[in-house]
Amino acid sequence: MKQSIDKLCKILKLEIERGFDNKAVVGGLDRILDTWEMEARLDEVPEEAIKAVSTRLQDYAGLSIASRAEALQGIWRRVQAEGVSEPFPTPTPFPDPESPPPVHGEVRKGTPLKRVEAEPVTSKASKPAEKPAPAPAPESKEPELEPAALNAPVTVLHNVGPKNAQNLGRLGLFTLRDMLYYFPRRYNDYSSLKAINRLSYGEEVTVIGTVQSVSKRTVRNGQRQIVEAVVSDGTGAMRITWFNQPWQAKRLRNGMQISLAGKVDQYLGRTVLNNPAFEEIDQQQLSTNRIVSVYPLTAQVTNRWLQRQMHQVVTHWAPRVPDPLPENLRRSANLVDLPTALIQIHFPDSQEQLKDARHRLAFDEVFLLQLGVLSQKYDWQEKSGRIFTSDQQDITALQNQLPFKLTSAQQRAVQEIRADLESGHPMNRLLQGDVGSGKTVVAAIAIAIVTGAGAQAALMAPTSILAEQHYRNLLKILASHPNQAESGVLQPSQIRLMIGATPESDKSAIREGLADGSIKLVIGTHALLEDPVAFQDLQLAIIDEQHRFGVQQRLILRSKGTNPHLLVMTATPIPRSLALTVYGDLDLTVMDELPAGRQPVGTYVLTPRERERAYQLIDRQIRDGRQAFIIYPLVEESEKSEALSAVEEHARLQREVFSQHKLGLLHGRLSPDDKEAAMRRFHQQQDQILVSTSVIEVGVDVPNATVMLIEGANHFGLAQLHQFRGRVGRGGDKSYCLLVPDSADQAENERLQVMAQTNDGFVLAEKDLEQRGPGEFLGTRQSGYTTELQLANLTDVHLIEKARHHAQALFKQDPDLALPEHQLLKAALQRFWDSHANDVS
Ligand code: ADP
Ligand code: MG
C-alpha cells in the first residue's frame, strides 16, 4: 500500500478508537493535511482522492461526533480504491479496566517476579522449556546478533490466538519485540504490604488475607450490583466492595488466600477497599504486592491480561536480548545493561531499579537520535557543493545600499554563510534569531551572492502574507540598486512571487522563467513544491519559519537542485538542548542582538476589568497615527469558533468601541485573497486596527503598529506570545503589548508576568519548555516526533548532553559503525531511524 495511504489509515483508526475526539493528531486532524497532501501527491494518489480526504478533514473540528464518524467513513470508502482492503473499523467503547480478561486460559504458575532480582536469569521454578539462555557475555568478541525470534508474531505466545493478536495489533503490538518495547504508562506502588489493623486512609497498599465471606446484591431497583467480601489477616478484618463487577463474586470462595491491591478508603469510620485488584496468592503476583505496571490499553485488552502476556515475553526474552551498547560505553555512562532495563521497566523490583531502567532506555532513545542526526550531518558534509566566492567589496557595497547598518550579529551571520558558500560543501545552516533581529536581510545577502554568480535561489515561507512581504522587501534590497550592472543585484523581473493565489497564467510564466533560468529568485509558499516547478540551476534554498514546515518539505525543496546550499531560518528561540537534538544535523548561527534603537516593548498583564484602559491606549495611539493589533485565541480548539469569536468581537469593537476608526479582520477561514486584502489594507494604513486570530503570528512586519492587545492570553504559550509581541516595536516608537487573560487562575496569570519581566525570547523559551514541554517548539507538524520518544524527556538537558557526548565520541571513533562490536548498534540505529526519520528537524 502507498505510504501516505497507510499513514492516513493509521491516523483514522486511532481517531475511531478514541471515539472521534479529534485528538488522534495533536491540534486536530486537519493539521495533517498540508504535509499529507504533498506526500499523497508524491505517492501519486489521484488528485480527486486527495481532494476527497482534504475536504472532509478540513472542517472536521466543527462537526458533531456522528458527522465525524460519517466523514471518516466517507474517507475510508474513498481510500479503499487505493488498495485498503480492511473494512471501516468499528468503534468500540473503552472497557472498564477491571472487566474480565478476554481469555480465560489458566495462568501458568511460576515464580513470583520478586525473585527476578535475586536470580535474574535462572529462576528455578521456571519450566525447562522456558529456561532462558544465559545472558550474553559482555566480554564476548563475536558480535552478538539479536535472536530472530524477536520478530516472531505475538501468536507464538500461550493464550494469544488470532483474536487476541488482533487486539494487540490495535496497540501496535505485532511482534515480541514490539511487546518488549511497549512500556508501562505509569506504575502503582503496591509493594508495601500492610497489616489490616495498620492501614490508614488514602494509602496505596497491598493486603494479604483470607476470604471470610462473599455476597452479592442489587441496589437501586436493580441498576447497581454490589459484590462484598470480608477479608481477615489475623490482625483484623475489613470489608471489600466491588461496584458493578458481578463477575468478581465468581472469582472468590470462602477460605481463599488472596492479595488485594488498592487505595484505602473509609466507610462509616472504618477502613475499606473499593474495587481493588486481587489475585489468589499462589498465582504469580503480577498485579499485587509489588510495583504494578499500568499499560496503555485499548478495547478488549485489560491490564491484568496484558501483564500476563508481558510476563511471558519479558521473563523469557529480555535476558536474551543482546545489548547494542558496547560494554565500555555502558560503564562510562553508568548505565544498566539492556536485559536488566527491560525486565525492570516492566516488572520493577524497586523504585530505584525502575529509575535506572528508565534512564537506560531513555538514554538509548536520545543516543540513537543523536547518532542518526550526526550521521546525516556527516553524509551531507561528504557531498560537494558549488563554490560561491564573494568579494568583500561587493558585500560592503550591498550593505551600504541598506537604510541601516547591520548589527554585529547580522555581520557574523553573513560571514558564516559566506564561509559555507565557499566551502565546496553544501551549506546546511539554521539561522536562529529572535523576532525582529533582521534575518531577512541576511538571507538577502546570501541570495545576492548566489544569484550574482548566475545561479538561482528560492525562498519558501509558510503563509502567502509572509511570502508577499518577503517579496516586497527583497525587491527593495536586491533590485533597487542604482547601478544595476554591479554583481549581486537583480532586475525586478528576475524576482518573482509564486503563491497559491497567483493566477495560473502567471504561474506558468514563472515556471518557464525558472526552467530557462531567466528568473533568478522565486519567493513563495509551498506552491513552490508543486511538481511542475523545475529550476534551471537552483543553488540556494531558503526556508523561513522552519518550524512551520516538515522535514519532507525541506527535502523536496532541496531536491529541486543538485546539492544546493540550504539556509533555514527560525524566530522560535529553541532552547539549546532541544536545538542540539532536533536540529543537530544543521550548523547553528544564533543572532542574539536586536537592531539598535529598538525600545523594549512595554508589556502589561491586565485584568478583564482593565480592558477599558487598553482601549483608551489604543485610541490615543491611533490618534497619534499609529496602528494596533487585537488578537483572539483559539476557543474550544475549533477553528470555526475561533473565527467566530474574532468575527463577533470585530463587529462589537467596530460598533461600540472604535466606531471612529477602521477595523480590519483576519482569520484562518478567510480565502487567501481575503487574507491578503486584509493585510494589505492594514499595511497601507487604510485600517487602523487589525482584529485577528493567531494566523497573524509569524513574521508579519508592519513597523507602524505599536500596540498588540492579546485577549485570552492565558491560552497561549510564552514563546507564542513572544511571537505576537514581536509584531510591534519594529519601528523606533515606544510600543505596548497588553495581555488580558480570561481566567481568574492566579498561577496561570503569574506565568504571564514573565512576559512583563523579560523581552528575551530564549528565557521565555526555556520557561515554556519547562512548563509546557517541547511540543511548542517542534511545531505541530513535528510533534509526532516527541510522541515517538517513549521515555526520553527533551527538557532533560542533562540526559541530552550526556547522550550527545557519548554519541559524538562513538561517532569520532567509528563514523560508519563498521567495527564488529558496533554491528548491533548499527542495526538498532537503522530500526530507530526508520521509524523516526520523517519526524526529525
Ligand atoms: P525577523 O528576524 O523577525 O525576520 P526582519 O528581517 O523582518 O526580522 O526585520 C525586522 C525589521 O527590522 C525590518 O523592518 C527590517 O527592515 C529591520 N531591520 C533589519 N536589520 C536592521 C538593522 N540592522 N537596523 C535597523 N533595522 C533593521
Ligand atoms: Mg522573518
Side-chain angles (χ1 to χ4, degrees), residues 23 85 103 157 193 198 200 254 456 507 518 608 705 716 839:
K23 288 197 175 138
S85 49
V103 169
L157 296 171
L193 189 61
R198 302 194 42 214
S200 44
N254 284 350
Q456 292 172 303
K507 274 189 185 164
S518 57
F716 297 107
D839 305 317

Side-chain angles (χ1 to χ4, degrees), residues 436 439-440 466 469-470 544-545 569 571 699 730:
K439 294 182 290 295
T440 314
L466 208 51
Q469 179 182 299
H470 280 314
D544 193 21
E545 307 295 348
M569 309 197 285
R730 299 171 85 83

